[in-house]
Amino acid sequence: MTETKSAIVVGAGMVGLATAWHLQERGVEVTVLDRHGVASGSSWGNAGWLTPGMAMPLADPSLWAYGPKAMLDPDAALSVPFRFDRALWGFLARFMAHATPGAWQRAMAALTPIDRLALEAYDELESGGVHATSYDSPWVVGFEREQQSRPFVHELRAVAKAGQKIALSRVPDGVRVPHLSRAVRSTWTLEGQRYIEPGPYVEALATSVSARGAKVLTDARVTDVRTRAGGGAEVDVAGHDTLRSDAVVVATGAWLPDLTRRLGVRTRVQAGRGYSFSVPVSGPPIDHPVYFPARRVACTPYQGRLRIAGTMEFRGPDEPFQPRRIEAIVNSVRGLFEGVDLDSRADEWVGSRPVTPDGLPLVGRTAAPGVYVAGGHGMWGMVLGPATGRALAAQITTGETPEEIRPFDPLR
């Protein structure tokens, strides 16, 4: 193991920038490259949930009942295009193969150690000079019927059994939650979680990384990453000279396969696209997140409005925005709110989350010496990004793999 004095991080989202920040903490000179800009991928328009209590495998046994129905429902949260795509259908077959109780429990056991470190890692960023805030707030969780709450409560109990503290409680009947309509008949609260305004938070992290001496280069399209003869690694950037450093981290989200196919990373990464928009709220603002699990819709306070996010759309990461998916989210929650203007939408957005078949991220060494990967978090890149970056920086600079990322070996 040679000393790591310099590193290139490819990807300026939460995971990449958190890795860069922690490498700087260990005295490494860092350059960050991104083909578009800071938070230009799924780090901008997501719900901003810091919910380790809900960071669980996406493939669960309920998919066997929900999936076929969703394929026939244009308003369903799960969306798969009807077309011949061998790679996509191969991914879905592997994804569904993990939707068993045993596979879910094994994946949950693997996620729990890093879940338990997630909020502490945010505290470290904020106390270390990142000028942004993560907000403590109770989650309001609503269902139209009592029976709809049972799968959610069951999952949260399974998360608790795996080793997390889960503070979930039922709101007494007759107690109205502001801005929820009478159609929401079963309401719960979940404590101990946080949220952020994701785009501004990631921009603040980039500002901190830059202020501590890193070069953050945008419009930098990386075409290849490889081991350098004589040690270290090198990066080809379209229109630029080859860049060299002691280590390279590929943190490009749903675009990971573009650079990792030749690095021994065999686990497929599929874009699971999410959509969001923001709407105004009349009367007192909604100052806490709202979740409708049966509708798979997440809502978060965002710059005086309410950001509403949903959908898991399995398409290519660069395919066009699909307006029908926004309509599906609106249709699924219309009637569940009061004083929320769903027809005055702004900031309509789509972003591609990197989903793996087994529900586990890809974090660690590749088969190419000096090259590492950090991604594949699915829906949980925001909550697990800082903890991932801290652990990977430790591996890069010491050669030892922290326990919390051992199950995420990219060569598995």
Side-chain angles (χ1 to χ4, degrees), residues 66 74 148 169 184 287 315 379 398 402 406:
Y66 175 74
Q148 290 178 335
S169 58
V184 181
D287 60 0
R315 284 183 179 266
M379 295 173 62
T398 69
R406 282 190 182 278

Side-chain angles (χ1 to χ4, degrees), residues 345-358:
R345 297 186 296 275
D347 308 317
E348 292 187 351
W349 171 89
V350 61
S352 295
R353 300 163 296 203
V355 181
T356 61
D358 61 6

Side-chain angles (χ1 to χ4, degrees), residues 260-320:
T260 59
R261 288 191 183 97
R262 295 184 296 278
L263 304 177
V265 180
R266 296 184 299 274
T267 299
R268 180 170 173 81
V269 175
Q270 169 64 45
R273 307 202 315 172
Y275 288 74
S276 73
F277 53 89
S278 68
V279 293
V281 177
S282 60
I286 298 178
D287 60 0
H288 54 79
V290 177
Y291 183 33
F292 299 113
R295 302 292 185 173
R296 292 170 168 80
V297 172
C299 312
T300 315
Y302 182 77
Q303 298 187 347
R305 295 166 66 89
L306 187 68
R307 173 171 282 175
I308 300 179
T311 293
M312 177 61 72
E313 180 191 48
F314 288 126
R315 284 183 179 266
D318 294 312
E319 290 192 45

Side-chain angles (χ1 to χ4, degrees), residues 26 68 166 188 236 267 327:
R26 292 173 170 271
I166 301 296
W188 300 68
D236 289 339
T267 299
E327 295 173 21

Side-chain angles (χ1 to χ4, degrees), residues 120-280:
E120 169 200 320
Y122 267 89
D123 293 338
E124 185 173 359
L125 291 180
E126 292 166 23
S127 65
V130 177
H131 299 302
T133 302
S134 55
Y135 302 98
D136 288 297
S137 176
W139 254 241
V140 172
V141 185
F143 304 89
E144 294 155 85
R145 297 184 298 278
E146 186 67 34
Q147 68 182 31
Q148 290 178 335
S149 69
R150 292 170 189 163
F152 177 76
V153 173
H154 175 76
E155 277 193 323
L156 271 273
R157 287 173 177 166
V159 170
K161 187 176 180 180
Q164 289 198 59
K165 182 179 179 181
I166 301 296
L168 181 68
S169 58
R170 176 82 153 79
V171 175
D173 291 336
V175 176
R176 294 290 307 281
V177 176
H179 294 291
L180 295 190
S181 75
R182 294 186 182 277
V184 181
R185 296 185 176 90
S186 176
T187 311
W188 300 68
T189 58
L190 177 64
E191 305 280 352
Q193 316 296 304
R194 301 185 199 171
Y195 71 92
I196 59 173
E197 294 185 346
Y201 199 106
V202 176
E203 289 173 351
L205 178 56
T207 298
S208 177
V209 167
S210 295
R212 301 193 325 167
K215 298 177 182 177
V216 179
L217 306 178
T218 58
D219 195 25
R221 185 171 64 86
V222 174
T223 59
D224 193 26
V225 176
R226 58 187 174 271
T227 299
R228 185 180 67 195
E234 56 189 16
V235 173
D236 289 339
V237 183
H240 297 269
D241 293 336
T242 296
L243 302 179
R244 298 175 176 85
S245 64
D246 295 327
V248 172
V249 178
V250 180
T252 52
W255 293 268
L256 278 174
D258 295 348
L259 296 176
T260 59
R261 288 191 183 97
R262 295 184 296 278
L263 304 177
V265 180
R266 296 184 299 274
T267 299
R268 180 170 173 81
V269 175
Q270 169 64 45
R273 307 202 315 172
Y275 288 74
S276 73
F277 53 89
S278 68
V279 293

Side-chain angles (χ1 to χ4, degrees), residues 84-123:
F84 178 74
D85 185 331
R86 180 177 297 174
L88 172 59
W89 291 103
F91 165 83
L92 290 173
R94 290 190 287 273
F95 185 74
M96 293 301 296
H98 286 88
T100 66
W104 190 94
Q105 290 166 9
R106 289 190 294 273
M108 190 67 242
L111 286 167
T112 295
I114 198 167
D115 284 349
R116 294 174 65 176
L117 298 173
L119 298 184
E120 169 200 320
Y122 267 89
D123 293 338

